[in-house]
Amino acid sequence: MQWNQLATQLFGSSHGIQADDDFLHGDVVFEGQPITVVGTTNHAPIGVALALAQARVILDTIARHPKRPILLFIDTQGQQLRRRDETLGINRAMAHLGMCIDLARRRGHQVIGLVYDQALSGGFITSGLIADGCYALPEAEIRVMRIPAMARVTKLSEETLTALSESNPVFAPGVGNYVAMGGVRALWQGDLQAALRDALADTPVKDTRAQDGAARGGRKLSASVVERVLAAA
């Protein structure tokens, strides 16, 4: 789904969100509630400039609009793989974006991520996976690492990883697998306004990723390991 079509379905044709190249931003009103919208489009690679532009909107919302909800529109192919961005410190810029989202949450802003098209690699890790709750459209594509890349990192064969992916969602891409693991809280289908309404009503959104993953069979041990670590602290 195109971002403008999504925005129109959620907020009407006069939604007020604008695109500056791949950068989306704007203030909307949903059923009387002001919301800051920020994100990306066109499968944007997240470079230094784009990461800092998103962070700036989030920090501005924290400063000017205390506790206003923030909605992340997510469509990214991951971090920008260019020498210029690596030299300028893309790792620090993306970490800054993630820290700004975390700060917003700590300051009482409900942060909701919505993968409406594509979410890959670090671009997803520093946005939707840091939000209070991340949601996705059914046709979205989500993955952090392709199996060939995973094979290079783990030193396991692609055949072994492909076989594991058939029974274990941790090794498999796809929006359904991220729902099973708890990374995606739920899919938004049908009435998108109703889906947003339900997400906003869950305030504050408790981070239930580990518990959801255990209940859905996608991450069977994460919740128990977290509890043991917290108990030992």
Side-chain angles (χ1 to χ4, degrees):
M1 180 181 292
Q2 297 295 316
W3 75 265
N4 195 36
Q5 180 185 1
L6 172 64
T8 298
Q9 288 192 35
L10 286 171
F11 310 115
S13 58
S14 302
H15 47 72
I17 303 170
Q18 64 184 67
D20 294 332
D21 294 324
D22 296 338
F23 174 45
L24 301 177
H25 59 98
D27 299 319
V28 301
V29 176
F30 179 74
E31 298 183 345
Q33 169 68 66
I35 299 174
T36 294
V37 177
V38 61
T40 54
T41 189
N42 300 322
H43 302 345
I46 309 298
V48 170
L50 192 48
L52 295 181
Q54 293 182 85
R56 189 176 299 113
V57 170
I58 292 168
L59 290 176
D60 183 69
T61 299
I62 294 171
R64 296 173 180 243
H65 309 289
K67 299 187 178 181
R68 173 190 284 188
I70 299 171
L71 177 60
L72 309 175
F73 273 12
I74 302 167
D75 175 23
T76 173
Q77 60 181 270
Q79 63 269 33
Q80 176 68 267
L81 301 177
R82 292 193 311 191
R83 178 174 295 180
R84 176 182 181 277
D85 288 272
E86 294 289 346
T87 302
L88 291 173
I90 180 60
N91 58 320
R92 297 181 66 181
M94 296 187 75
H96 174 65
L97 172 58
M99 291 172 67
C100 290
I101 294 173
D102 181 64
L103 176 63
R105 294 175 61 192
R106 292 174 184 271
R107 293 288 179 87
H109 297 263
Q110 185 180 7
V111 183
I112 297 172
L114 176 60
V115 181
Y116 69 95
D117 196 323
Q118 179 174 272
L120 274 60
S121 191
F124 182 42
I125 293 171
T126 55
S127 58
L129 288 183
I130 299 181
D132 289 298
C134 185
Y135 301 84
L137 300 185
E139 62 270 23
E141 177 186 2
I142 302 178
R143 65 175 184 271
V144 171
M145 187 177 289
R146 292 179 182 271
I147 285 180
M150 197 181 300
R152 291 193 295 271
V153 171
T154 64
K155 308 305 180 185
L156 298 173
S157 69
E158 291 186 30
E159 292 76 15
T160 298
L161 292 171
T162 299
L164 286 171
S165 71
E166 295 176 358
S167 59
N168 191 328
V170 172
F171 295 94
V175 65
N177 288 308
Y178 277 84
V179 172
M181 290 188 290
V184 170
R185 196 174 179 90
L187 299 182
W188 286 10
Q189 304 182 72
D191 187 342
L192 298 185
Q193 289 189 344
L196 176 57
R197 186 181 305 116
D198 290 343
L200 290 169
D202 194 2
T203 307
V205 176
K206 182 181 178 182
D207 189 341
T208 60
R209 289 177 174 88
Q211 291 79 5
D212 289 345
R216 299 167 184 175
R219 297 174 68 202
K220 299 179 181 179
L221 299 178
S222 178
S224 62
V225 170
V226 169
E227 290 174 2
R228 288 167 59 190
V229 170
L230 292 175

